[in-house]
Amino acid sequence: AQSVTQLDSHVSVSEGTPVLLRCNYSSSYSPSLFWYVQHPNKGLQLLLKYTSAATLVKGINGFEAEFKKSETSFHLTKPSAHMSDAAEYFCVVIKRGRGDLIFGKGTKLSVKP
Amino acid sequence: DVKVTQSSRYLVKRTGEKVFLECVQDMDHENMFWYRQDPGLGLRLIYFSYDVKMKEKGDIPEGYSVSREKKERFSLILESASTNQTSMYLCASSFRKSYNEQFFGPGTRLTVL
């Protein structure tokens, strides 16, 4: 069975400092992994996706994630947080065969001025 | 620009009413999905469809049905709304290949009184 676990329900950083949002996955197959972001009262937007082409994936708004098979991790990072990054972030894996998405419980990112 | 639209952003209904939530995509996607989002639970799949007239149960189909008469439109039906169906409902679509990301609508926040 496939699953993702987001290790922090809430992360708080100061503006200009690095962001790290942690995600571990479980999969019998080589997984397709995504990070989505949801700003308050908005729909979900794709930040980046991993589909086995390259282990370091760059996304929108300066975010990137590294796929580490040995650690079964897919952590999301950004070198310098901006106030507009405050949102909820979801780590997601595609359910093989069925094609729907399995979502983590989400990590709420707060950015302090 | 990719577009998934949902018929209402906010909806208030009474217990026992029949409720229709509509979703339309303009990307010629084969796959369409309905999720509900609840705090602390992330997103959970209700129903999905791979093609016109096709429907498959997701993880929490009880109390819901769906209709897909046209490729671009996927409707979620609550036959007899109950208070435990108060939630955010999100529609998504994707191309047929299972590793493709899904595109989400803005969501419908349904309150059942």
Side-chain angles (χ1 to χ4, degrees):
Chain A
Q2 291 160 290
S3 66
V4 287
T5 303
Q6 292 183 244
L7 301 172
D8 307 289
S9 59
H10 191 207
V11 169
S12 183
V13 301
S14 297
E15 193 173 20
T17 64
V19 176
L20 170 64
L21 305 182
R22 299 181 296 164
C23 173
N24 287 347
Y25 71 90
S26 172
S27 178
S28 310
Y29 306 94
S30 181
S32 293
L33 293 160
F34 306 88
W35 277 98
Y36 279 83
V37 61
Q38 188 176 34
H39 288 92
N41 298 315
K42 295 278 179 71
L44 287 151
Q45 181 183 18
L46 180 70
L47 268 182
L48 50 82
K49 65 178 178 180
Y50 167 76
T51 54
S52 76
T55 56
L56 185 63
V57 183
K58 292 190 185 301
I60 61 171
N61 301 333
F63 283 94
E64 61 182 40
E66 187 170 9
F67 175 77
K68 291 188 176 178
K69 188 175 179 180
S70 60
E71 299 175 11
T72 63
S73 70
F74 189 58
H75 301 334
L76 182 70
T77 60
K78 183 173 181 178
S80 175
H82 192 273
M83 296 297 290
S84 61
D85 294 328
E88 190 157 21
Y89 293 79
F90 293 93
C91 182
V92 180
V93 64
I94 278 193
K95 193 161 188 171
R96 199 173 178 103
R98 203 165 81 169
D100 59 296
L101 302 179
I102 300 171
F103 281 77
K105 296 281 183 2
T107 298
K108 195 159 285 190
L109 175 66
S110 301
V111 182
K112 299 174 288 191
Chain B
D1 201 16
V2 159
K3 204 84 184 256
V4 180
T5 56
Q6 294 182 230
S7 49
S8 307
R9 289 301 305 273
Y10 300 94
L11 211 51
V12 180
K13 295 292 181 180
R14 298 217 171 266
T15 301
E17 278 192 80
K18 191 168 186 175
V19 181
F20 292 87
L21 303 182
E22 303 280 338
C23 175
V24 178
Q25 51 95 3
D26 65 359
M27 296 162 285
D28 203 32
H29 284 166
E30 295 88 2
N31 303 336
M32 295 188 76
F33 306 84
W34 275 105
Y35 297 88
R36 64 176 281 177
Q37 182 179 20
D38 300 289
L41 296 177
L43 273 77
R44 293 176 292 166
L45 181 67
I46 305 171
Y47 266 96
F48 60 105
S49 169
Y50 290 140
D51 206 344
V52 177
K53 306 270 187 199
M54 260 211 56
K55 59 184 177 184
E56 297 282 345
K57 291 181 181 179
D59 299 317
I60 51 164
E62 297 78 20
Y64 303 94
S65 63
V66 290
S67 172
R68 193 161 180 205
E69 295 295 319
K70 294 184 178 180
K71 189 177 185 180
E72 67 271 17
R73 188 179 297 268
F74 192 36
S75 303
L76 180 69
I77 304 153
L78 286 65
E79 296 289 342
S80 177
S82 64
T83 55
N84 64 13
Q85 292 178 310
T86 291
S87 187
M88 170 71 89
Y89 290 87
L90 292 164
C91 175
S93 69
S94 70
F95 285 113
R96 187 180 299 282
K97 287 183 180 177
S98 62
Y99 56 77
N100 273 312
E101 69 268 28
Q102 293 180 13
F103 296 88
F104 284 83
T108 295
R109 187 166 292 283
L110 173 66
T111 302
V112 183
L113 302 175

